[in-house]
Amino acid sequence: MSASSELDDAAPAQSPRRSSRWLQRFVLVTLGPILAALVVSGIVLLLFGVDPLEYYGYVVRRGLLSSLGLQQTATRMAPLLFLAAGLIVAFRAGLWNLGVDGQFLLGAVAAAALAPSLVDILPGWAMLVAGFCVAALVGALWSVVPALLRAYQGVNEIITTLMMTFLGVSLANVLVKLVFLDPTTTVPQTRTLPVPDRMPRLFDTTISSGMIWGILAVLAVHLMMTRTAFGLRLRTVGANPHAAAHAGLNVPLLTVAVFAISAGFAGLAGASEVLGVTGNIQADWNPAYGLMVIPLVFLARFHGVGSIILIFLYSTLLIGAESAARRVGVPQDFTLVLVSSLLILLALAEWLDARRSWTES
Amino acid sequence: MTLPAQTASDMSEAVGLHTVTKRFPGVLAVDGVSLTVRTGEVHVLLGENGAGKSTIVGMLAGLQEPDDGHISVAGTGSRLDSPSASLDAGIATVFQHVMLVPTLTVFENLVLGAPWWRRPHRAQIERRIAELSRDFGLKVQLDAMTGDLSLGEQQQIEIARALLRDARVLILDEATSMLTPSGADELGAQMRRLAERGLAVIFITHKLGEAYRFGDRISVLQQGRMVGDIAPDALARMDEDAAIEEMVRLMFGGSDTSASLYRDRPAPTAAPLLSVERLGTEGGAEMMALKDLSFDLRPGEILGIAGIDGNGQKQLAEALSGQRSATAGRVMFDGADVTRLSVGQRRKLGLRYLTDDRLSEGTIGIFPIAENTVLKDIGAAPFWSGGIERPARIGAHAREVIRHYSVRAPSEFTPIGHLSGGNIQKVLLARELTGEARAVIFNKPTYGLDTRNIAASRRRIREIADKGLAVLLISTELDELIELADRIAVMASGRIRGTVVNDAGAGDLRLRLGRLMVDEGKMADTTGDAA
Ligand SMILES: Nc1ncnc2c1ncn2[C@@H]1O[C@H](COP(=O)(O)OP(=O)(O)OP(=O)(O)O)[C@@H](O)[C@H]1O
Ligand SMILES: [Mg+2]
């Protein structure tokens, strides 16, 4: 039949074209905006009389090339990775859980409140496991309202999760200042988990083992979403809830499950920061990691390995910029300039790409 | 109709394609096609599923650009690189698949795309819609939520929207597939009137009778190539049968394959497999409720449901499949009450439902064909084991489906949204028939298919009934029901108006069905006014 011969003709001609296309696309959509953002931020630095090459060089040296910096970078990755795991589940299932910061903080508070009081009762590992579990539970609970509203009333979760974050951040603060306050210090903070009782460090470094668990979490989530029946169910709901209901899936139940898993990981992120790094929570602490991770997960197109790489690069930038702020005299907030110009340029590239492929096919 | 005295200008080109080629990954959709559509003509495009008709429409509508060749509008080459460029060039399109925003009201959809600074004048639009409804017999409720309407009703809105735009070229891609026969005739008459007023109309259909009755000129595509056309004077000289034979010859290069399948066979006598007892569902302002519906369906039997589109057929199918909850009565399957069971549970019992809404309900366009073939069996063996996907098994199954149902697709990895309408339908059909099916509900199973695929699909439906499955066949095409069904129930206003045994008594039967539909149609109108 002529149809099949036509297909045969088309097939070989197409593969080299496709790979060069892919490269073109990668340059346009990923590499291009990153370079452009470096240039734009460099110009801003020049305007302030700072040599951008010196600044960038310093960031790379401190965040990546110095041993201490690298260890800090790796430690910083842990909570970001857990957050990314939660976001990947939600985003792939088409649910925009933008409230991870609230879920993160409440999870952290739960862990910080529980762990020091369990230290004397339970063996170390059990105390840590309990802390993580409770944090996940509290994070998940904080997503119940948006989840139910979305599942049964169709209320847009973007707004509800953001609102719940406002509430959650305030609630966490209230809890730290009024309920779980450590009476033995004058600084408003929770009781401190002694360093030996925190999560084990990796080998002889200062790297928290949370990073390993975080990487495992991201990989596990990635495999779950791409290789399992449960993952396909979630993706089906995300792609087209109508078709999912037609295919016999319980869409409301799956929606609630996605929220619970996603927020649970946010809670774990909070626990990993408290039980692995800080040991306590100080009043008004809100690192807003979620807002940083969301764009990274988008940039990685919800891909697990891609997210890990981007989080590594981003942590390098954060750590490097912290020291650069002290040394080169550029305020630490400059990372925000860099990141926001990156985001704007990424969105721009995405738009150009969408326009291009739209007219092409 | 073409007089030699006609001047060149009033038969001039409205749009033209000049050796246009369009490739998709692995598919040559349109292959060096040249085509001139003249003002004042209804130009019919024919071709089997996947022939490239909708791709041509897509290029004229500015959704896609040709890889080679070019398009001209009114004799001058122009680039239609966006939908707005196409609209500006005076081309209005009704797409094969409805492209309305389901969460907006009908009115909002109609005014969508107007410049944001121009406030839509509701009164003015109401007046124009009233005119259009009168002229075309379209039913447009401006305040209905679009997503709540049936596909047929949505298609009418699309037609209204295109007509509102006062275009010079009007494209209708299978716009009549969801209309009732009389609605299609109205539209045909209106196309003729528009052509007389100097518009160019491009009309795509799989119904060859319509092509003959409404068209001036007929062009036939086969696998992306233009394989022939029938000029106006030639068409005018033929009678309907001769014209249809010629069209079939051009489309398939062979003879008509759609011999009637109806044969006398003993009425199945086994105990009913599916019994519906006084079923009722909730309705709303725009959603027809089911009232007091009862029937039995035996294994091996085909029960047809006839009726004008939007009289509760979809609600019935959904209530049976478990997608819509019943507020009264019950559904018995194989002696057990399944009224409260979920979609998945009913499917496991062997109750299958082939939806008429291929794109937004039946498939997930961005997922590959392979995943779509198992979308209703997620987690089940042999495609998953212990919840872990087995891509090789799924891929093999999908390739088997593609081969056995002759789906025209480059590979099982192609996103199903890239297939032509007819080919998507084949995949859906395969999905409902795999596994332990015992009863299948078909909702408009052959809509949008070409003659050959219609024949093949009907043969399959007949085969599965012969194998002992119970079939509920919802269709708006009387021919289809008379060809396949043992009994035909007529639905109107959410009720069963009457059931007739299909004795193939030809004219008489058709008349009886028609009467049931029409009587009830009037009644539906009066109740509609009262509500
Ligand atoms: N966006 C796309 N990507 C890839 N392939 C496509 C795309 N659109 C169409 N095709 C392929 O191009 C071919 C022609 O499709 P087209 O939709 O034009 O057919 P058609 O004549 O309208 O058929 P039908 O009567 O079934 O609607 C088909 O093989 C289809 O699979
Ligand atoms: Mg088509």
Side-chain angles (χ1 to χ4, degrees), chain B residues 113-277:
Chain B
W116 57 266
W117 64 86
R118 209 184 291 151
R119 292 243 334 263
H121 295 291
R122 166 118 195 170
Q124 193 185 331
I125 291 198
E126 254 170 26
R127 209 177 48 242
R128 301 243 8 229
I129 288 290
E131 275 169 33
L132 292 174
S133 315
R134 204 180 48 239
D135 294 351
F136 294 85
L138 297 177
K139 259 196 216 153
V140 179
Q141 307 156 290
L142 285 178
D143 290 314
M145 188 56 78
T146 309
D148 292 341
L149 301 179
S150 78
L151 278 184
E153 290 161 324
Q154 294 192 23
Q155 206 166 40
Q156 302 195 10
I157 294 160
E158 290 259 31
I159 295 170
R161 183 162 75 167
L163 293 172
L164 274 178
R165 291 210 166 113
D166 292 323
R168 280 179 292 145
V169 180
L170 178 64
I171 305 178
L172 300 166
D173 190 353
E174 298 192 27
T176 56
S177 56
M178 287 278 193
L179 299 184
T180 58
S182 67
D185 281 342
E186 303 260 4
L187 188 70
Q190 196 63 23
M191 280 192 307
R192 302 261 17 115
R193 250 170 283 157
L194 291 172
E196 269 150 34
R197 273 191 235 156
L199 259 80
V201 180
I202 301 177
F203 179 53
I204 294 177
T205 184
H206 287 298
K207 295 176 189 155
L208 305 184
E210 283 181 359
Y212 173 77
R213 289 200 303 281
F214 309 152
D216 292 311
R217 182 188 295 273
I218 291 172
S219 295
V220 180
L221 286 160
Q222 215 183 74
Q223 307 207 334
R225 277 181 292 273
M226 195 57 87
V227 291
D229 57 29
I230 310 180
D233 40 354
L235 192 63
R237 266 185 271 112
M238 296 180 206
D239 67 358
E240 179 157 350
D241 290 337
I244 288 180
E245 198 164 311
E246 175 67 5
M247 291 180 223
V248 169
R249 196 185 59 74
L250 287 171
M251 280 170 74
F252 301 107
S255 59
D256 190 350
T257 46
S258 68
S260 174
L261 293 166
Y262 182 81
R263 64 190 153 79
D264 255 335
R265 36 174 219 152
T269 50
L273 178 63
L274 181 71
S275 299
V276 176
E277 295 166 15

Side-chain angles (χ1 to χ4, degrees), chain B residues 66-141:
Chain B
D67 293 334
D68 283 316
H70 71 278
I71 293 174
S72 60
V73 178
T76 49
S78 31
R79 235 186 116 199
L80 304 174
D81 56 358
S82 72
S84 51
S86 162
L87 280 174
D88 290 345
I91 302 174
T93 312
V94 177
F95 292 98
Q96 177 176 9
H97 297 291
V98 180
M99 299 215 174
L100 300 170
V101 183
T103 49
L104 295 183
T105 66
V106 170
F107 176 75
E108 287 164 334
N109 264 302
L110 286 175
V111 298
L112 206 64
W116 57 266
W117 64 86
R118 209 184 291 151
R119 292 243 334 263
H121 295 291
R122 166 118 195 170
Q124 193 185 331
I125 291 198
E126 254 170 26
R127 209 177 48 242
R128 301 243 8 229
I129 288 290
E131 275 169 33
L132 292 174
S133 315
R134 204 180 48 239
D135 294 351
F136 294 85
L138 297 177
K139 259 196 216 153
V140 179
Q141 307 156 290

Side-chain angles (χ1 to χ4, degrees), chain A residues 1-11 14 17-18 21 92 223-250 355 357-361, chain B residues 22 24-29 31 62-65 67 81-83 223 225 323 343-344 347 353-355 357 359-364 366-367 371 374-376 378-379 384 387-389 391 408-410 431-432:
Chain A
M1 217 177 121
S2 67
S4 57
S5 70
E6 193 176 278
L7 297 187
D8 294 343
D9 292 348
Q14 180 200 323
R17 208 174 131 214
R18 184 182 283 173
R21 265 289 199 66
R92 284 207 177 224
L223 290 178
M224 178 185 90
M225 291 309 286
T226 52
R227 298 286 157 80
T228 68
F230 184 62
L232 181 58
R233 286 195 186 103
L234 296 189
R235 280 189 291 132
T236 303
V237 172
N240 183 346
H242 232 61
H246 175 71
L249 302 183
N250 189 338
R355 248 182 80 101
S357 58
W358 192 69
T359 44
E360 264 178 19
S361 76
Chain B
K22 179 76 200 171
F24 293 115
V27 182
L28 193 55
D31 182 7
L63 292 177
Q64 286 143 356
E65 283 196 83
D67 293 334
D81 56 358
S82 72
Q223 307 207 334
R225 277 181 292 273
Q323 271 172 254
V343 175
R347 184 175 165 89
Y353 167 38
L354 184 86
T355 172
D357 194 349
L359 288 197
S360 58
E361 186 171 81
T363 56
I364 295 188
I366 53 170
F367 283 9
E371 282 179 357
V374 293
L375 212 54
K376 286 192 173 180
I378 300 178
W384 276 267
I388 306 293
E389 195 172 309
R408 196 167 176 237
R431 186 170 74 192
E432 296 318 323

Side-chain angles (χ1 to χ4, degrees), chain A residues 361, chain B residues 23-25 27-30 47-56 64 96-97 173-174 204 206 221 358 408-410 414-415 417-423 448-450:
Chain A
S361 76
Chain B
R23 285 181 204 91
F24 293 115
V27 182
L28 193 55
V30 173
E48 60 181 317
N49 294 131
K53 305 177 297 290
S54 298
T55 306
I56 290 181
Q64 286 143 356
Q96 177 176 9
H97 297 291
D173 190 353
E174 298 192 27
I204 294 177
H206 287 298
L221 286 160
R358 285 167 212 162
R408 196 167 176 237
T414 311
H418 288 177
L419 300 188
S420 80
N423 284 305
L449 302 194
D450 63 45

